[in-house]
Amino acid sequence: MSNEDRKVVVTGMGMISPIGNNVAQSWDNLLNGKSGIQKITLFDTEGFSCKIAGQVNDETYNTDLPHSRGTHFGLAATKEALEDANLINDEAILDEMAVFIGNSGNRTGLDDFSEEFHARNLKELTLRDLNSDSQFDKSRYSAAAETIAKKYKMYGGCYSITTACASGTQAIGLAFDSIKTGENTVVLAGGCDAMITEIDLMGFCMLGAVTSGYNENPSKGSRPFNKDRSGFVLGEGAGMLILEEKEHAMKRNAKIYAEIAGFGNAISGYSILDTPPNGENLAQAMRNAMKEAGIDKKQVGYINAHGTSTRDNDSSESAAVIDVFGEDTLSVPISSTKASTGHLISGAGAIEAIFSIMALKDQCLPPTLNLEDIDGKCSLCHIHSALERKIDYSMSNSLGFGGSNTSVIFRRFEE
């Protein structure tokens, strides 16, 4: 088989999110308009302008293990994905599986290490304190990917992608490329993050990036594309996918959710925090993804928007969609599921990819919550409640701090 003939399919999925402890629960709550935004209970928010976030139920991970909060989410989502793909005990395949994980760093591990550092005399710290179970180990940027690979004995390669909010989608795209080129046959790809910490929230509050007007009404806080949106809401969690070369998957009678059809990537040099008002670089990423998928704009049946609920991001992304789809813009349903989950940063693109796949599987499109008065700059085909629709392709977009723009396209699977 030539590399041009290699197709990539999704054979397993796992998720930990603010609206569910697995894929099925998260998807059901998403379609039913449930919000995972609540008042922060992880620490005292006195003095913070924003006091809300999309927290995960603490019962979903094992706090006795020496890993950061985000890594725990990644481990739990990986276990679900491997079980879903019937690979959890397949040592032969696991031994050759590569791991591509998007992660923005383990801030909780760094916070713990910093507390230990300040609590003890510097002279008392030795190399013995920096062993594999130490707080230092928890804070490494590659800790999530390496921990997941070692835990499930996936030894085919380990890649940690750190491009902020685009990390999870880029991890999926790079894993997709590695299978298409013949480098890998089965991979784990996704993202995990847990940035609901004092230091991260403080930084976002100082930047004015997070909303401050809904502390007493958390479920209304994330308002993508709404005229009165005032900033994003932090979320946390993980999404993991098993990607597999199509013929390999069919030979082992694997369940197939969808095919990955195209991946596009571009970077803007406009600003570290904001995207260019005309959205030109996201438009470039979307066009690249459609070109690789071999489809035109009329074939895209659903877009899962990055849709952070910040003023500049939502209007810029809308401009990009209008640029790409032109006269067909109002025929392409679009929604931002961050209205329900908050913004999982490096985990965002991964769970949104799963939602895009579930939209194909169930032929049902998820809504954007709190969309009560659409901004005129965001005049798109918005979904206000779960929408049954026959579609063959779904697109998921991610934009990262620093300028990364990523788009991935999924195709409905037909044997």
Side-chain angles (χ1 to χ4, degrees):
M1 183 195 309
S2 68
N3 289 344
E4 290 77 13
D5 295 328
R6 289 173 69 89
K7 305 295 184 182
V8 183
V9 295
V10 179
T11 58
M13 302 189 295
M15 184 186 296
I16 296 291
S17 80
I19 55 173
N21 299 338
N22 51 52
V23 171
Q25 186 179 53
S26 297
W27 178 241
D28 184 64
N29 283 335
L30 180 66
L31 292 183
N32 284 289
K34 300 292 180 62
S35 171
I37 313 299
Q38 60 180 294
K39 289 188 176 182
I40 294 171
T41 60
L42 294 172
F43 54 87
D44 185 357
T45 58
E46 181 67 29
F48 290 88
S49 59
C50 178
K51 303 176 185 295
I52 62 175
Q55 285 187 204
V56 165
N57 181 344
D58 286 354
E59 295 177 359
T60 61
Y61 69 100
N62 183 356
T63 54
D64 294 331
L65 296 175
H67 308 305
S68 75
R69 186 175 175 88
T71 298
H72 281 289
F73 298 149
L75 287 166
T78 297
K79 182 174 185 290
E80 182 187 358
L82 288 171
E83 290 176 341
D84 189 36
N86 197 26
L87 292 175
I88 192 75
N89 295 315
D90 196 323
E91 295 180 5
I93 293 180
L94 288 170
D95 187 61
E96 296 184 354
M97 279 181 66
V99 173
F100 292 75
I101 304 295
N103 187 253
S104 62
N106 290 286
R107 178 65 69 186
T108 50
L110 188 60
D111 286 347
D112 291 344
F113 181 69
S114 179
E115 289 179 10
E116 180 179 351
F117 178 86
H118 288 293
R120 299 170 59 180
N121 189 308
L122 178 60
K123 295 180 180 180
E124 294 177 358
L125 287 174
T126 67
L127 288 177
R128 186 181 299 276
D129 296 307
L130 304 183
N131 60 33
S132 62
D133 291 334
S134 70
Q135 305 296 348
F136 178 78
D137 185 63
K138 290 165 62 175
S139 69
R140 292 179 298 107
Y141 279 86
S142 59
E146 291 168 355
T147 299
I148 290 168
K150 292 174 183 176
K151 168 68 176 177
Y152 295 106
K153 298 180 172 57
M154 294 180 283
Y155 299 137
C158 186
Y159 305 87
S160 184
I161 292 87
T162 306
T163 46
C165 320
S167 302
T169 307
Q170 286 195 342
I172 294 168
L174 293 172
F176 162 65
D177 285 343
S178 81
I179 295 177
K180 286 202 68 175
T181 59
E183 179 183 354
N184 292 296
T185 300
V186 187
V187 303
L188 173 80
C192 56
D193 226 333
M195 291 185 70
I196 307 175
T197 70
E198 292 98 323
I199 192 168
D200 288 306
L201 184 60
M202 175 183 68
F204 288 129
C205 286
M206 291 175 67
L207 288 169
V210 287
T211 187
S212 59
Y214 295 89
N215 291 327
E216 300 307 316
N217 195 2
S219 66
K220 294 288 187 179
S222 186
R223 308 174 67 78
F225 306 113
N226 208 62
K227 186 179 292 185
D228 68 350
R229 64 190 184 279
S230 56
F232 73 87
V233 176
L234 270 172
E236 60 179 3
M240 298 293 166
L241 298 85
I242 305 299
L243 309 187
E244 191 166 351
E245 192 277 317
K246 180 181 175 180
E247 288 192 10
H248 183 275
M250 296 187 74
K251 284 179 181 178
R252 71 179 189 89
N253 295 315
K255 171 178 55 184
I256 296 177
Y257 285 100
E259 178 187 335
I260 302 184
F263 170 58
N265 198 36
I267 190 164
S268 67
Y270 180 75
S271 166
I272 291 177
L273 292 178
D274 298 320
T275 53
N278 63 5
E280 60 184 340
N281 306 109
L282 175 59
Q284 179 184 355
M286 288 191 283
R287 288 192 173 99
N288 289 344
M290 288 191 292
K291 181 178 180 180
E292 182 169 33
I295 63 173
D296 63 37
K297 59 186 180 180
K298 293 182 182 296
Q299 292 174 271
V300 178
Y302 166 64
I303 302 172
N304 187 296
H306 186 61
T308 59
S309 187
T310 57
R311 297 207 64 79
D312 291 340
N313 175 91
D314 290 4
S315 59
S316 173
E317 184 172 11
S318 297
V321 171
I322 294 168
D323 181 26
V324 171
F325 290 91
E327 69 277 8
D328 296 305
T329 297
L330 296 181
S331 299
V332 187
I334 187 170
S335 67
S336 171
T337 49
K338 287 184 178 71
S340 302
T341 66
H343 190 350
L344 277 63
I345 312 297
S346 291
I351 70 164
E352 289 157 14
I354 293 174
F355 291 149
S356 300
I357 292 167
M358 291 301 295
L360 285 172
K361 175 182 176 293
D362 289 355
Q363 298 286 278
C364 189
L365 315 182
T368 302
L369 299 187
N370 303 320
L371 195 50
E372 299 155 354
D373 186 9
I374 299 171
D375 185 342
K377 294 181 179 180
C378 305
S379 297
L380 309 173
C381 183
H382 296 287
I383 305 169
H384 296 270
S385 59
L387 176 67
E388 292 187 3
R389 177 72 65 92
K390 292 182 178 180
I391 62 169
D392 292 318
Y393 293 90
S394 62
M395 170 186 282
S396 183
N397 294 334
S398 293
L399 293 77
F401 297 130
S404 291
N405 300 268
T406 303
S407 183
V408 63
I409 294 176
F410 300 97
R411 178 185 288 122
R412 183 168 65 89
F413 179 73
E414 293 181 302
E415 294 190 25

